Amino acid sequence: MANSNEIDDVLNVLVVGSGGREHALCWALAKSRRVGDLYCAPGNGGIANVARRVNLNANDTDGILLMCRDVNIDFVVVGPEAPLVDGLVDRLDAAGVAAFGPSAAAAQLEGSKGFTKDLCDRYDIPTAAYGRFDNESDAKSYVQKQGAPIVVKADGLAAGKGVTIAQTVKEASIAIDKIFDGQFGDAGHEVVIEEFLHGEEASFFALVDGEHILELETAQDHKAVGDGDTGPNTGGMGAYSPAPVMNTDLRARVMAEIIRPTVEGMAKDGAPYKGVLYAGLMITDDGPKLIEYNVRFGDPECQVLMTRLDSDLLPLLMASQDGTLDKVSATWKTEVALSVVMASKGYPGPYEKGTLIRNIDAANKVDQVTVFHAGTALEGGKIRATGGRVLNVTALGTTVAEAQKRAYGAVDQIKWPSGFCRRDIGWRAIEREEAESA
Ligand code: AMP
Ligand code: GLY
């Protein structure tokens, strides 16, 4: 593969995944002067505008390996966590294909909550106090001893559904039963029980190459389905970047107390981390604490990060893969980006599939707005909804309030009777802006 310093070469790039995150990654990579042919497997109804779609599932490792050989892929960008935890990057590596993302061993940072808690314990990384249990009765006696509120988590990947914030010991007990009853399959062989942390949540992103760290930007998302952050949790109903709570001092603390010890610890433990490290943080009265790591870009956080990124994305991702992150830097727009997720009515519960969406073009024409697709399919020139989270209407603005106004202006152009969105994405940041200007 070409060295990232040889800027004259163009590379054939494959993005793996099908969500709004992957649309945003393809959109950013399509602008790169270093990208030759850009492919996405499997992609979605919007990605065809920026990349060639390949009919391969993100978990079809053998298919992806064959495709890389057949069309001479030089670099693979893996979007979602599941193929990373399953070792896609290890397989590509063994086949001589350079890929962005962690090895299976390093992806344990997301693949096992217990793994990450033990790492925090070993390297003094601030996080909620916890216990790890492989049976119900020990888990329940720990809960009895600690009292509520308390947080119960399935150890493994559970698509964001494995976490219960229990307000009572009884609720915690029910959550423990559910996990050991097999509700989360393999993810539920073990449970992590944590102290409930109070504070404001924020997300912090960094690129890592095993040794060097390139700090990216911050974001905040809205996980709950309903306005005012009410109702069940989802994959994320909207996000904005930067996170106003993350001032310079806090960012420096996060790097020094959380990110750097993690990267050094992983290297010391023989599983050097490469890829994007996404820290979910709680900003408590005692400072920042790690809630969890993800080993991929957030969705929809990626959409707001890519909208703000001014640098060419490809050399940054390549530097993470080839160990030269100390030689690159990233520049960002000073504007705020905000993304509103439009979802199928019923989500995160059951919803109708195949409903028709019209007028996305008009939304895309709104000044400073980009509509990323998630669960959509293009059929006979028409866009239909195929998933829970369907569109990410993303806008830039000089303030969060301005970005929000633009995003909802574009949302209102879209004609989709079977869809809905939250109407208050960014509310906390806007309150802060209003308080600061008062
Ligand atoms: P996780 O999948 O671990 O990020 O948890 C999902 C969500 O649950 C987080 O974004 C937080 O809102 C919440 N959460 C998880 N752990 C804690 C904790 N220890 N204290 C308070 N809230 C938590
Ligand atoms: N939006 C949260 C996540 O990607 O995990």
Side-chain angles (χ1 to χ4, degrees), residues 54-76:
V54 187
N55 193 12
L56 282 175
N57 190 285
N59 295 319
D60 182 355
T61 308
D62 292 332
I64 290 170
L65 279 158
L66 280 176
M67 184 235 158
C68 288
R69 202 187 55 199
D70 288 350
V71 300
N72 285 324
I73 294 294
D74 299 296
F75 194 68
V76 178

Side-chain angles (χ1 to χ4, degrees), residues 113 151 153 163 165 194-197 201 223 291-292:
K113 293 185 188 294
V151 184
K153 300 183 175 182
V163 175
I165 312 284
E194 284 184 12
E195 163 201 12
F196 177 78
L197 296 174
E201 277 184 67
K223 289 201 171 67
I291 298 176
E292 63 158 1

Side-chain angles (χ1 to χ4, degrees), residues 399-402 404 426-438:
T399 58
V400 183
E402 187 180 72
Q404 189 203 53
W427 67 266
R428 196 196 285 268
I430 292 170
E431 266 183 11
R432 200 182 288 255
E433 281 174 351
E434 283 167 356
E436 277 165 11
S437 69

Side-chain angles (χ1 to χ4, degrees), residues 19-352:
R21 167 182 50 214
E22 286 75 25
H23 189 185
L25 290 170
C26 286
W27 175 83
L29 288 167
K31 295 189 289 187
S32 168
R33 58 197 186 93
R34 298 217 47 212
V35 173
D37 291 333
L38 179 61
Y39 298 86
C40 187
N44 60 41
I47 284 178
N49 288 335
V50 280
R52 291 188 211 179
R53 293 189 58 192
V54 187
N55 193 12
L56 282 175
N57 190 285
N59 295 319
D60 182 355
T61 308
D62 292 332
I64 290 170
L65 279 158
L66 280 176
M67 184 235 158
C68 288
R69 202 187 55 199
D70 288 350
V71 300
N72 285 324
I73 294 294
D74 299 296
F75 194 68
V76 178
V77 179
V78 184
E81 62 278 16
L84 293 167
V85 171
D86 286 347
L88 177 56
V89 168
D90 309 69
R91 290 282 306 277
L92 288 164
D93 211 32
V97 182
F100 171 76
S103 65
Q108 287 298 295
L109 279 179
E110 178 165 359
S112 165
K113 293 185 188 294
F115 173 93
T116 299
K117 298 300 285 188
D118 288 352
L119 181 99
C120 290
D121 193 37
R122 264 197 311 286
Y123 296 106
D124 274 336
I125 297 164
T127 189
Y130 73 106
R132 277 180 90 163
F133 305 96
D134 63 5
N135 67 83
E136 279 179 39
S137 73
D138 288 350
K140 287 183 183 171
S141 36
Y142 182 79
V143 166
Q144 279 292 348
K145 210 161 75 208
Q146 302 296 321
I150 195 154
V151 184
V152 179
K153 300 183 175 182
D155 178 71
L157 291 183
K161 299 184 180 81
V163 175
T164 302
I165 312 284
Q167 298 302 338
T168 61
V169 168
K170 179 145 187 257
E171 241 180 84
S173 225
I174 293 168
I176 292 168
D177 284 338
K178 270 194 188 154
I179 290 172
F180 286 113
D181 282 353
Q183 177 146 341
F184 301 104
D186 281 349
H189 290 319
E190 204 183 296
V191 65
V192 171
I193 300 180
E194 284 184 12
E195 163 201 12
F196 177 78
L197 296 174
H198 294 270
E200 183 169 344
E201 277 184 67
S203 305
F204 185 99
F205 296 85
L207 291 179
V208 182
D209 67 5
E211 179 188 352
H212 311 105
I213 305 167
L214 177 70
E215 188 177 333
L216 298 178
E217 271 291 339
T218 59
Q220 278 178 303
D221 77 338
H222 293 270
K223 289 201 171 67
V225 72
D227 282 11
D229 296 323
T230 55
N233 267 1
T234 69
M237 293 302 290
Y240 48 95
S241 170
V245 64
M246 292 299 293
N247 57 33
T248 315
D249 174 52
L250 269 174
R251 289 173 63 134
R253 285 191 65 179
V254 170
M255 281 295 282
E257 296 169 24
I258 298 178
I259 306 290
R260 200 166 292 286
T262 299
V263 172
E264 287 170 5
M266 291 294 285
K268 203 161 150 204
D269 294 349
Y273 188 86
K274 287 183 175 195
V276 59
L277 191 54
Y278 157 7
L281 305 169
M282 188 70 86
I283 311 306
T284 72
D285 290 343
D286 300 330
K289 294 196 177 179
L290 181 73
I291 298 176
E292 63 158 1
Y293 274 128
N294 296 305
V295 298
R296 45 158 179 99
F297 283 105
D299 188 340
E301 291 88 334
C302 185
Q303 291 80 310
V304 287
L305 291 181
M306 291 306 123
T307 306
R308 289 190 58 219
L309 182 68
D310 260 339
S311 309
D312 187 331
L313 177 63
L314 185 66
L316 301 179
L317 303 185
M318 287 172 69
S320 157
Q321 186 273 330
D322 69 15
T324 55
L325 270 179
D326 56 331
K327 310 262 184 326
V328 296
S329 59
T331 54
W332 302 90
K333 293 187 199 314
T334 50
E335 285 104 321
V336 171
L338 179 142
S339 187
V340 175
V341 172
M342 297 183 75
S344 296
K345 276 183 189 162
Y347 174 79
Y351 51 83
E352 195 185 341

